[in-house]
């Protein structure tokens, strides 16, 4: 399984040598952003909170020249995730309890499945599973996730009812998860 | 995904949900470095929670306690609300102090000593000297707007008695020790330094360790002046647009500015392809603007030119009176090897060819390319571009074959401008509209399209921004349908009157067909 412990956005330039701040951001930005996405934080908000957490961490001394060794990254990762989660929950005033319950479950899932490589191995397995899907299933997922179609529109396109779409998507997700887990078994 | 009676898949399986959005929905981990650095430079967090929450408190205060309480909440110091202060997301260009605009000595003298950003318009040397009491100044912009127009743009008449800034102001301009950005625009006389002034200018630049951004736009600075810009040790952004004062030697001297990340030579009509090509060797260069070097968009001087001004202008015109002005194949070939180039603008260039663009394609870091107005319309260069290209702008005689090539090769393209491409038909538009990665489509004034292309747009559920201005077949009904049926559309520009769209949107559903 490929791992990417210090991943950075694929097209982002590498940190210039001798710049501990840039190196710290590059080491943690992808993992932190994905963690926030798993918590349920979306779009601009995920980006804003990730940036907030990185700024706070740097101001607390993480990633500074004296504290830049990768050995210290474990503490930094924990700090960034806790800070990110805290900032995310603070903005969930409408339904904070529900968000807290979800965040708790999502955090466990993250630790178990993604934390060691910032999700790179999971995405790799997902890619392979998506390639194996029959065309109609692939179409249903693409129209849902890529094009943002609702059940009604997708049902019309596939010639099935809304209930059928719901069942189809549930089964597809379950099948994908099984496939990913199978592929990730040692 | 989360409506109706379906259980929220995010809560059922948040990991799978995230990964499907990243793999199929086009989401990508963001590049946060520039924003974090800007926030740290600006002194860190300042934002109180979300504006939404603050607004809710204000609304409640109105209901419960009346206006007096509202004022109390509004004036309450940020730090006393018990919130972790967080700054809004900012990019480096916005992470600077708000500029205060001044026109007169009285306005300058009234500025608080803590002022960090000033835009001074039509001020003279004495007024710049009066600014020097602002020891915390980080950003200074000085403009003479009547000298900023070019080409066919609207001209601005100079004041009856202009008080131009002169080169004698440089010691004051370079006396702000905290200066991070200095921008001079249209201040033509300030560009003409004698030998002693030039020596002082070089010394002044060396004494500004924080200066990151320098603009000498719409003025004429000599080769000798450009040659000392490398004295600014931290310079990252240099804007010499519409600056006609330097020629080959000045352009060559730019290579000494090894820290540059962004360089604009927009509208520098006097620069030839062979002179521009070596700039590709700048080791940190990420953004390069070589647009509008077309022999047409010369600068217009609003004020009557002095003999010195006229001499410089005529010299630049003599240099530009040659074949091969602006970027061509030599420049594009060299940029193909640029190590960090991400953004290139060569719009309105006469000598950019398909062969040159194919060579540019070797630059695998390129993400944004503007070739708007380029005259070679063969589509075969598209396949040579890095597949990671995110933004592409073209216009004019491109055809459906171009659209097909874009759809086939540029799988990560998010922004496409094909405005005024009269040869592109509904078939070509359908090809690009179906690109899963596409988020922004600029299709202004496309006269080869018909009303049938609306169906292609209605199927492009991924679109977030759409520009259909000057497409005569687009009606209020079409706009209303697009707004209703494209779930991610957040911005649509049209030439249809807003009132007609609003009326259409109010109609009950059945009558809309």
């Amino acid at each position: 399984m490929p791992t990417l412990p210090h991943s950075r956005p694929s097209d982002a330039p590498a940190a210039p040598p001798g710049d501990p701040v840039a190196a710290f951001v590059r080491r943690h930005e992808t993992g932190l952003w994905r963690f926030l996405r798993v918590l349920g934080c979306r779009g601009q908000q995920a980006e804003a909170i990730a940036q907030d957490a990185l700024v706070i961490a740097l101001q607390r001394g993480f990633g500074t020249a004296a504290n830049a060794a990768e050995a210290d990254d474990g503490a930094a990762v924990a700090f960034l995730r806790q800070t990110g989660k805290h900032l995310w929950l603070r903005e969930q005033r409408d339904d904070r309890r529900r968000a807290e319950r979800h965040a708790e479950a999502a955090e466990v899932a993250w630790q178990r499945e993604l934390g060691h490589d910032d999700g790179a191995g999971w995405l790799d397995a997902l890619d392979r599973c998506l390639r194996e899907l029959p065309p109609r299933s692939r179409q249903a997922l693409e129209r849902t996730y890529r094009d943002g179609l609702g059940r009604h529109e997708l049902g019309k396109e596939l010639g099935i009812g809304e209930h059928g779409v719901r069942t189809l998507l549930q089964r597809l997700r379950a099948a994908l998860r099984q496939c990913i887990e199978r592929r990730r078994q040692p | 995904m989360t409506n109706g009676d379906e259980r929220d898949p995010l809560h059922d399986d948040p990991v799978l949900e995230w990964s499907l959005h990243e793999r199929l929905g086009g989401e990508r981990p963001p590049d946060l470095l520039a924003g974090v650095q800007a926030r740290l430079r600006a002194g860190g967090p300042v934002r109180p929670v979300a504006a939404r929450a603050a607004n809710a408190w204000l609304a409640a205060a109105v209901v419960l306690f009346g206006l007096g309480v509202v004022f109390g909440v509004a004036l309450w110091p940020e730090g006393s609300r018990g919130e972790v202060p967080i700054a809004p997301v900012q990019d480096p260009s916005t992470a600077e102090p708000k500029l205060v605009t001044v026109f007169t000595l009285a306005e300058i003298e009234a500025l608080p000593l803590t002022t960090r950003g000033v835009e001074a318009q039509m001020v003279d040397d004495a007024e710049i000297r009066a600014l020097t009491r602002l020891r915390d100044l980080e950003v200074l912009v000085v403009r003479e707007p009547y000298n900023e127009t070019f080409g066919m743009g609207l001209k601005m008449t100079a004041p009856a008695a202009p008080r131009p800034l002169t080169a004698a102001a440089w010691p004051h301009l370079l006396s702000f020790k905290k200066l991070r950005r200095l921008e001079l625009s249209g201040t033509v006389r300030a560009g003409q330094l004698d030998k002693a002034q030039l020596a002082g200018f070089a010394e002044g630049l060396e004494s500004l360790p924080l200066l990151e951004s320098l603009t000498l736009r719409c003025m004429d600075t000599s080769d000798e002046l450009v040659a000392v810009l490398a004295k600014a040790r931290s310079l990252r952004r240099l804007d010499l647009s519409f600056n006609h004062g330097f020629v080959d030697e000045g352009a060559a001297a730019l290579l000494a500015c090894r820290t540059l990340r962004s360089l604009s030579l927009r509208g520098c009509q006097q620069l030839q392809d062979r002179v521009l090509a070596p700039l590709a060797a700048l080791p940190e260069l990420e953004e390069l603007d070589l647009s509008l070097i077309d022999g047409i968009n010369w600068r217009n001087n609003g004020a009557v030119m002095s003999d010195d001004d006229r001499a410089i202008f005529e010299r630049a015109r003599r240099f530009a009176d040659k074949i091969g002005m602006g970027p061509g194949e030599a420049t594009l070939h060299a940029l193909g090897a640029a190590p960090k180039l991400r953004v290139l603008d060569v719009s309105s260039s006469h000598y950019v060819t398909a062969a040159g663009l194919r060579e540019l394609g070797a630059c695998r870091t390129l993400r944004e390319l503007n070739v708007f107005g380029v005259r070679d319309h063969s589509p075969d260069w598209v396949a040579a571009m890095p597949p990671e290209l995110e933004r592409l702008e073209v216009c004019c005689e491109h055809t459906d074959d171009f659209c097909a090539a874009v759809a086939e090769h540029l799988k990560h393209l998010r922004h496409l401008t094909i405005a005024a491409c009269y040869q592109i038909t509904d078939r070509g538009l359908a090809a690009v509209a179906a690109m899963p990665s596409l988020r922004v489509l600029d299709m202004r004034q496309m006269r080869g399209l018909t009303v049938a292309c609306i169906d292609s747009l209605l199927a492009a559920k991924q679109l977030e921004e759409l520009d259909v201005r000057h497409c005569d077949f687009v009606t209020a009904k079409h706009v209303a349908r697009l707004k209703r049926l494209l779930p991610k559309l957040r911005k649509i520009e049209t030439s249809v009157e807003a009132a007609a769209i609003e009326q259409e949107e109010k109609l009950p559903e059945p009558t809309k067909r």
Side-chain angles (χ1 to χ4, degrees):
Chain A
M1 179 172 55
T3 58
L4 197 58
H6 293 147
S7 54
R8 58 187 169 90
S10 56
D11 55 353
D19 183 344
V21 169
F24 181 79
V25 173
R26 287 288 181 250
R27 281 204 302 278
H28 297 295
E29 59 188 343
T30 297
L32 178 60
W33 178 82
R34 284 179 176 158
F35 173 71
L36 289 163
R37 289 288 293 112
V38 170
L39 290 192
C41 189
R42 291 187 177 225
Q44 288 288 317
Q45 196 179 24
E47 197 170 327
I49 291 177
Q51 194 186 97
D52 291 342
L54 284 164
V55 169
I56 292 169
L58 285 161
Q59 288 181 330
R60 296 280 176 93
F62 288 104
T64 55
N67 192 16
E70 294 190 7
D72 290 330
D73 270 4
V77 166
F79 179 85
L80 285 167
R81 286 184 195 160
Q82 282 311 305
T83 306
K85 187 175 85 169
H86 168 72
L87 294 172
W88 159 238
L89 289 174
R90 249 184 13 151
E91 300 203 1
Q92 302 310 297
R93 295 188 180 230
D94 295 341
D95 195 352
R96 173 149 180 157
R97 283 191 179 174
R98 184 167 178 266
E100 277 175 353
R101 279 200 304 275
H102 171 71
E104 202 173 316
E107 203 173 354
V108 172
W110 174 274
Q111 294 285 12
R112 191 180 61 231
E113 294 171 324
L114 312 173
H116 63 289
D117 66 354
D118 288 343
W122 178 276
L123 286 172
D124 185 54
L126 173 63
D127 284 340
R128 284 181 283 162
C129 293
L130 284 171
R131 280 199 290 273
E132 291 170 6
L133 284 177
R136 186 177 161 87
S137 303
R138 173 90 190 194
Q139 179 192 356
L141 285 172
E142 285 182 346
R143 298 295 272 161
T144 301
Y145 287 93
R146 186 190 68 195
D147 303 332
L149 255 60
R151 289 207 305 270
H152 177 71
E153 292 161 301
L154 183 57
K156 277 200 337 199
E157 203 170 288
L158 297 176
I160 56 178
E162 287 188 36
H163 188 75
V165 172
R166 188 185 69 177
T167 308
L168 172 67
L169 289 175
Q170 280 176 347
R171 284 182 181 161
L172 272 174
R173 290 190 195 104
L176 274 177
R177 172 162 272 282
Q178 278 182 7
C179 174
I180 292 167
E181 285 172 351
R182 204 170 52 243
R183 287 194 173 277
R184 282 163 58 84
Q185 277 172 1
Chain B
M1 291 302 300
T2 60
N3 55 358
D5 56 353
E6 187 180 1
R7 289 184 65 192
D8 183 351
L10 175 64
H11 289 260
D12 280 350
D13 198 335
V15 171
L16 186 64
E17 195 64 9
W18 146 73
S19 56
L20 284 168
H21 276 287
E22 188 164 327
R23 273 301 181 261
L24 298 178
E27 287 189 0
R28 306 172 72 185
D31 182 348
L32 299 173
L33 181 57
V36 170
Q37 286 173 327
R39 292 262 304 275
L40 291 170
R41 213 167 35 233
V46 287
R47 185 187 66 159
V49 202
R52 180 169 57 87
N55 290 340
W57 279 110
L58 280 172
V62 171
V63 173
L64 294 173
F65 305 116
L67 282 173
V69 175
V70 175
F71 283 123
V73 171
L75 297 173
W76 202 263
E78 296 288 348
S80 60
R81 291 185 194 171
E83 307 285 8
V84 176
I86 305 295
V89 179
Q90 291 176 318
D91 64 41
S93 61
T94 59
E96 62 177 30
K98 194 177 172 189
L99 302 189
V100 184
T101 305
V102 293
F103 296 86
T104 64
L105 187 61
E107 287 172 340
I108 290 170
E109 287 175 342
L111 290 171
L113 284 173
T114 52
T115 304
R116 293 167 56 216
V118 169
E119 177 174 322
Q121 287 194 25
M122 296 189 279
V123 294
D124 62 12
D125 300 352
E127 285 158 337
I128 291 295
R129 190 170 58 237
L131 279 171
T132 56
R133 67 191 180 86
L134 306 178
R135 306 315 300 170
D136 290 332
L137 206 65
E138 293 174 27
V139 180
L140 177 57
V141 178
V142 186
R143 294 178 53 207
E144 288 171 12
Y146 50 86
N147 285 329
E148 289 177 339
T149 59
F150 58 89
M152 301 292 284
L154 284 175
K155 316 292 185 293
M156 184 176 172
T157 309
R163 298 172 300 126
L165 194 75
T166 74
W170 277 109
H172 306 307
L173 288 167
L174 299 176
S175 69
F176 303 97
K177 296 300 174 201
K178 294 184 181 177
L179 206 60
R180 290 194 289 123
R181 177 158 82 89
L182 176 61
E183 178 176 330
L184 267 66
S185 183
T187 51
V188 179
R189 301 278 176 88
Q192 295 163 38
L193 291 76
D194 61 30
K195 222 171 212 177
Q197 287 168 327
L198 195 59
F201 175 79
E203 215 168 280
L205 279 182
E206 263 185 317
S207 71
L208 295 177
L210 302 180
L211 189 70
E212 285 183 352
S213 175
L214 177 64
T215 296
L216 303 171
R217 184 195 304 126
C218 293
M219 51 197 287
D220 304 304
T221 53
S222 65
D223 288 326
E224 291 76 19
L225 185 142
V226 175
V228 301
L229 294 180
K231 299 276 185 187
R233 287 165 288 165
S234 306
L235 200 61
R236 294 184 174 197
R237 305 184 71 86
L238 178 61
D239 182 347
L240 297 174
S241 49
F242 298 99
N243 187 325
H244 301 142
F246 63 98
V247 285
D248 299 8
E249 294 79 5
L254 289 172
L255 274 175
C257 300
R258 308 289 287 173
T259 54
L260 278 189
R261 293 187 179 178
S262 170
L263 174 63
S264 175
L265 299 172
R266 180 176 166 83
C268 290
Q269 310 295 346
Q270 73 280 15
L271 300 181
Q272 277 185 294
D273 186 27
R274 63 174 175 75
V275 174
L276 295 169
L279 296 174
L282 283 168
E284 301 295 329
L285 195 65
E286 294 174 8
E287 297 177 18
L288 180 59
D289 188 344
L290 302 176
S291 62
L292 287 183
I293 305 181
D294 54 5
I296 300 167
N297 283 285
W298 288 89
R299 203 176 75 231
N300 303 303
N301 283 66
V304 176
M305 281 198 280
S306 69
D307 288 346
D308 286 347
D309 297 335
R310 194 172 293 109
I312 288 173
F313 208 71
E314 290 308 318
R315 177 169 169 261
R317 276 190 182 275
R318 276 199 304 281
F319 268 94
D321 188 19
K322 297 172 186 171
I323 293 173
M325 308 314 293
E329 289 189 11
T331 305
L332 296 173
H333 171 76
L335 289 172
K340 293 186 177 178
L341 190 70
R342 289 175 57 82
V343 182
L344 176 65
D345 188 343
V346 287
S347 54
S348 299
S349 301
H350 295 313
Y351 298 100
V352 169
T353 62
L357 290 172
R358 277 197 299 275
E359 300 215 39
L360 173 68
C363 175
R364 306 319 275 179
T365 54
L366 193 67
R367 295 294 176 269
E368 299 185 15
L369 175 62
N370 189 343
V371 285
F372 201 88
V374 165
R375 295 174 183 182
D376 189 334
H377 302 115
S378 56
D380 54 343
W381 56 271
V382 174
M385 285 292 120
E388 294 84 6
L389 198 73
E390 292 176 356
R391 181 178 177 131
L392 178 61
E393 299 181 53
V394 302
C395 86
C396 304
E397 302 303 314
H398 292 287
T399 64
D400 290 350
D401 290 344
F402 168 80
C403 294
V406 168
E408 185 184 349
H409 297 290
L410 303 180
K411 300 289 189 191
H412 292 270
L413 200 70
R414 294 178 67 83
H415 180 132
L416 177 63
T417 294
I418 43 176
C421 290
Y422 297 169
Q423 306 300 322
I424 292 177
T425 70
D426 297 337
R427 189 166 63 91
L429 185 86
V432 292
M435 292 175 70
S437 60
L438 199 68
R439 297 293 182 269
V440 181
L441 179 59
D442 179 349
M443 46 176 280
R444 283 168 293 159
Q445 198 180 312
M446 291 185 66
R447 295 188 180 156
L449 299 180
T450 71
V451 71
C453 79
I454 296 291
D455 286 338
S456 303
L457 294 176
L458 288 169
K461 306 290 184 188
Q462 79 283 16
L463 285 182
E464 294 174 3
E465 294 182 26
L466 182 61
D467 195 337
V468 291
R469 282 177 291 170
H470 314 299
C471 291
D472 297 339
F473 55 88
V474 175
T475 65
K477 258 185 196 172
H478 295 140
V479 177
R481 285 189 74 198
L482 287 165
K483 286 173 78 172
R484 196 172 68 248
L485 295 177
L486 297 187
K488 295 182 178 175
L489 195 68
R490 55 171 192 251
K491 184 179 177 188
I492 179 166
E493 302 261 15
T494 84
S495 300
V496 181
E497 283 189 20
I501 299 169
E502 203 176 319
Q503 192 177 7
E504 184 64 30
E505 287 178 318
K506 282 180 188 161
L507 289 176
E509 196 86 12
T511 54
K512 287 184 177 174
R513 291 203 175 266

